[in-house]
Amino acid sequence: MPPTQAESVIKNIIREIGQECASHGEIVSETLVAFMVKAVVLDPSNGFNIDRTLVKTDVQKLVKLCVTRLLDSKNPSLDTIKMQVYFDMNYTSREDFLEEHHRVLESRLSSVSREITDNRASTREELESLYQKIVSYMLLRSGLGSPTDIKIVRETTAALQSVFPQAELGTFLTLSKMDKECQLKELTTIVTGIRLFNRDCGKGGEGIDDLPAILHEAIPATTQYIDSQLQNTQDQLYHYTAILEKVTKNPLMGKELQQYMIKEALYNMRQYEIFLQIILSDVISCAQEVEMMMKQLAAQLEQLKMTIRSKTAVPTSQVFPIFIALANLWTSFQDETVLISILSNLTTHLEPFLGAHEVLFPEKIMQGLLDDMTVKTDASRIKEHMEYKVHLSDFKKLEWLFPETTENFDKLLIQYRGFCGYTFATTDGLLLPGNPTIGILKHKEKYYTFNTRDAAYSFAENPEKYIDLIKEKAKKHAELIQLLELHQQFETLIPYSQASLRQKITHSVQTDLSHMRRENCSQVYPSKNAGTLSMREDGTQVPRPQIYISGLRGGQSKVSHGVKVNLTRAVDKT
């Protein structure tokens, strides 16, 4: 079947499955359905031949199997797959988040910018109207207050008049469209810098939230919440691991426990743990950025005070660059606020995918299974075998890497997310952390770790055998493809539609913005400086409103975890 025809068939199957699920009251995304189609076809127990064209009976069988699995609300495997699809659709790197975030903001500003650059004002009234449009544009671009708040407008107008009097509009109107856009962005940064300086002096800054203080509160709260979630998750998955370890030594016990789906529950918890660790790493990056930015902010404000102190006129060549740097730094604070909020919301939205652990494993059952059992943590398992390393003399043709002899040892990309491939392949899917200090096996330019030296030796005797065993196990549990990062081994099988990165980020950013929308947005560009500026070290005294956004800590508890945040983003009044 030609690729385009095959794709059309798959799309029709996906649509039919979605409609069938909807008729049962379950709304599922196309991406989730596509993943489930792949999962069902890959599972050898379902009897599909991926090299053969699907006939009508195959399609009917495929639809039925997929719908059954998608409606199985008590299966941890489905929850894990849903979690993976959600994370894949809503997470990307901080650089990509911010790039797309700024793109969204620019698109929202485009109509406001056009109203100014296409303007042909000539009468006094038209010029006054144009000047007010420029003030509104600056507020929307800087994110420092609403253009409908009269006090904020007056303060911004006063700052603009000190660097760009209304009398200069005639010259502005003679510029090309591109030059007008550049000047608008340049003036915005300068006016933003002036307002931030006035705020620091205590004589202005109407509508400007204290982002450094907000972040100083939000980052530790978010970190603490994720740490707490990680601790609870690890406690639970260590229990599951201990039970499954006991099962490997007692097959009869395994049959008795089959109904509880402990293995599937372990995969669910391990995947949640991995996602939390990814998010936590990004939050820590935010914390490091903010710490550095706070020092820069203090230095720039002090430099401005020293430059302006006791002077009635200051050359613009001295102060404009500092105003611009101050505005750009504030944009970075806004960016970090957006990131923290997105990461917090992402953490919160992962929780529903933990499945029915309490329903499947009531406390009494768990305690009964754990009687006379030692529950080990990942750290204790690694410590247990630290001294038992691979002897290089036992392997003449294989390459082993050790921390004391390998550069960037901790940067190596380990297969199976660092879990022991041998243990997973030779048990009923038991996931134990590999111990890199035992020795990392390099095989065909890939790296493998093991939980014991015996496991390392056994795997090394025939790596391909165990690699194939792992692949076959993953076919039966499709959530393992992402959990163990096996995408390369399956990417040529069963093509299915995936949203593009841009769509993913836009969805995430816009979803986040819809929770925190105000009548303004932010983005600052570097600019030039010219002319002279007359000013004093004071500003407009105005009261400032407070903006409250809840949910930064994630979690649903009896105690409120709201943190004050002003994202000042949306241009349109919604």
Side-chain angles (χ1 to χ4, degrees), residues 49-95:
N49 183 347
I50 60 173
D51 297 319
R52 181 172 61 83
T53 302
L54 294 175
V55 296
K56 186 177 181 180
T57 52
D58 291 330
V59 172
Q60 292 171 341
K61 178 183 175 182
L62 177 58
V63 170
K64 185 177 179 181
L65 286 170
C66 287
V67 170
T68 301
R69 288 195 61 179
L70 287 166
L71 296 178
D72 187 1
S73 60
K74 293 185 178 180
N75 190 331
S77 287
L78 176 61
D79 287 314
T80 305
I81 289 171
K82 285 181 176 180
M83 188 195 312
Q84 292 169 341
V85 169
Y86 176 81
F87 195 81
D88 185 56
M89 293 295 293
N90 289 277
Y91 175 83
T92 187
S93 69
R94 59 178 281 124
E95 292 79 14

Side-chain angles (χ1 to χ4, degrees), residues 497-527:
S497 60
Q498 275 260 33
S500 70
L501 183 61
R502 169 146 288 185
Q503 289 172 318
K504 283 168 55 178
I505 309 169
T506 302
H507 168 75
S508 180
V509 169
Q510 290 184 335
T511 298
D512 190 68
L513 292 178
S514 70
H515 290 283
M516 321 190 177
R517 199 165 274 178
R518 278 188 59 185
E519 293 178 79
N520 34 14
C521 66
S522 79
Q523 168 70 343
V524 181
Y525 285 79
S527 24

